[in-house]
Amino acid sequence: MTEPILEARGLTKFFPTKRGTVRAVDDIGFRMSPGDTLGLVGESGSGKTTTAQCVVGIYAPTTGDILFHGRSIGATAAKRSKELKREIRIVFQDPGSSLNPKRTIKQILATPLAVHHLASGREQLARISALLERVELPPAEYLYKHPQSIGGGEKQMVAIARALATDPSFVVLDEPTSALDVSVQAKIINLLLGLQKEMGLTYLFITHDMSLMRNVASRVAIMYLGKLSEIADTAEFFQRPLHPYTKMLLSSIPVVSDEEESLKPAKGISRGEIPSPVNIPPGCSFHSRCPSRLDVCDKIDPATVEVAPGHVVRCHLYPGPQEGSS
Ligand code: SF4
């Protein structure tokens, strides 16, 4: 693997509440190479968004660290350098609430340029126009519009342009299409893929949509109750899913042909609700929903094992060398 652009090491983020401690992210690790798209997939409450928020500095980790080009960045944005804030940007799920309705698109895009002292006056206008062109919005038509006068897809294009204003190398995409009509989702995805190629971007793509990852991600990571249950390169992941939770997610993907249906993992899986993150079951946190559970599963938390180069799984069905040897 080339030198990672971003690495999470033993990353945890806990939130104390009146009902107990929410273990939102619990000792996870992953590495991303430049140009990667890591699809971080999980149900609501899995910890994927909290992980993303630690990467962009909305939260500081409770323990563990995040490294960017080998240097620790594990602090909130307030403590990060301006250079780091320019390099790591985020596109939020709902462009409607992330864009100030009182400001024109020109003013919205001017803000990061001004905050980071990147351009002012005529140069600023030229850069704003170039950003709009980059996201396929004609400047003459959109510069002086307000967010409420444009559609959801166009708002998300403006949000993407705002994220790109500082010429970042790493962008967190927090469910960037899930709040949009199906008709514009493909357009936004194609735009993001084109921009990645053109600008050499690395994406951390947060989603609950497993089928989207097949076409977008270079690697896929599955989160469940704050922990990573499986990570693999996309082709390996879809050809040889191992973790019972991954198989459950894959079995529920809608398909359009009998051929695709035959490639899906068998169903036969009881799909209960995800347990509360303040009351995580002992042993493997998936054991209450798992159709393959073993006697050990409700007692001992499984170790993380690399079962093939780059393919990592956390499950007693795939014991490490020591666990498996008699
Ligand atoms: Fe299922 Fe046990 Fe594997 Fe957990 S460790 S996913 S309960 S088989």
Side-chain angles (χ1 to χ4, degrees):
M1 190 181 188
T2 51
E3 196 62 27
I5 182 169
L6 187 121
E7 186 177 357
R9 284 190 192 163
L11 180 68
T12 67
K13 182 62 193 174
F14 296 164
F15 297 98
T17 71
K18 285 182 183 160
R19 288 166 52 228
T21 299
V22 175
R23 303 167 75 93
V25 178
D26 194 355
D27 191 17
I28 67 165
F30 57 83
R31 289 158 67 101
M32 296 175 63
S33 296
D36 266 358
T37 296
L38 176 66
L40 194 53
V41 186
E43 293 170 281
S44 172
S46 62
K48 58 190 189 305
T49 293
T50 305
T51 302
Q53 289 171 333
C54 288
V55 169
V56 295
I58 293 171
Y59 297 128
T62 304
T63 59
D65 209 352
I66 300 169
L67 309 179
F68 188 67
H69 290 293
R71 294 176 68 176
S72 171
I73 58 165
T76 56
K79 292 184 181 164
R80 291 187 181 179
S81 68
K82 277 209 160 173
E83 186 190 350
L84 195 53
K85 288 187 216 168
R86 283 199 298 269
E87 285 287 332
I88 302 178
R89 305 281 288 172
I90 185 167
V91 175
F92 293 101
Q93 178 179 4
D94 181 5
S97 58
S98 74
L99 302 178
N100 186 338
K102 293 190 178 142
R103 313 199 84 198
T104 63
I105 289 166
K106 175 173 175 272
Q107 289 170 324
I108 289 168
L109 296 181
T111 301
L113 295 174
V115 167
H116 291 277
H117 307 293
L118 295 173
S120 57
R122 292 171 78 133
E123 193 196 340
Q124 188 184 81
L125 182 59
R127 285 190 62 162
I128 291 169
S129 298
L131 280 166
L132 285 174
E133 278 166 5
R134 201 160 227 173
V135 297
E136 300 171 10
L137 295 175
E141 204 180 315
Y142 285 89
L143 268 173
Y144 298 100
K145 283 188 171 170
H146 288 80
Q148 68 267 32
S149 66
I150 61 177
E154 293 163 318
K155 283 190 194 119
Q156 196 59 301
M157 289 169 173
V158 173
I160 293 167
R162 180 177 58 183
L164 299 182
T166 60
D167 205 13
S169 57
F170 191 98
V171 181
V172 173
L173 302 166
D174 187 5
E175 306 237 24
T177 58
S178 62
L180 304 177
D181 288 347
V182 176
S183 57
V184 293
Q185 285 181 2
K187 188 168 183 194
I188 296 292
I189 292 294
N190 287 336
L191 175 68
L192 288 168
L193 292 176
L195 290 166
Q196 181 176 37
K197 217 169 173 185
E198 190 186 325
M199 299 176 69
L201 298 167
T202 305
Y203 288 152
L204 177 60
F205 199 123
I206 309 300
T207 183
H208 62 272
D209 184 349
M210 182 81 97
S211 55
L212 185 60
M213 290 301 97
R214 196 191 289 266
N215 301 320
V216 170
S218 50
R219 275 174 76 71
V220 181
I222 302 294
M223 277 192 89
Y224 184 78
L225 278 178
K227 295 192 174 178
L228 284 174
S229 54
E230 185 164 7
I231 312 179
D233 289 347
T234 304
E236 160 90 0
F237 182 87
F238 283 95
Q239 276 161 22
R240 202 165 75 101
L242 296 178
H243 197 281
Y245 180 55
T246 305
K247 291 179 183 175
M248 183 185 99
L249 294 177
L250 286 173
S251 72
S252 58
I253 291 181
V255 293
V256 292
S257 69
D258 290 346
E259 191 189 1
E260 287 181 0
E261 184 67 39
S262 69
L263 293 172
K264 280 170 50 173
K267 263 199 172 144
I269 290 177
S270 64
R271 299 192 56 196
E273 291 298 310
I274 191 166
S276 162
V278 290
N279 193 16
I280 292 177
C284 168
S285 54
F286 188 58
H287 81 257
S288 59
R289 303 171 76 188
C290 180
S292 310
R293 65 178 166 262
L294 309 170
D295 287 346
V296 68
C297 294
D298 62 355
K299 299 175 188 69
I300 298 175
D301 201 11
T304 299
V305 175
E306 188 168 27
V307 291
H311 191 163
V312 171
V313 65
R314 237 182 105 260
C315 172
H316 287 303
L317 298 174
Y318 309 96
Q322 281 181 343
E323 216 180 323
S325 61
S326 51

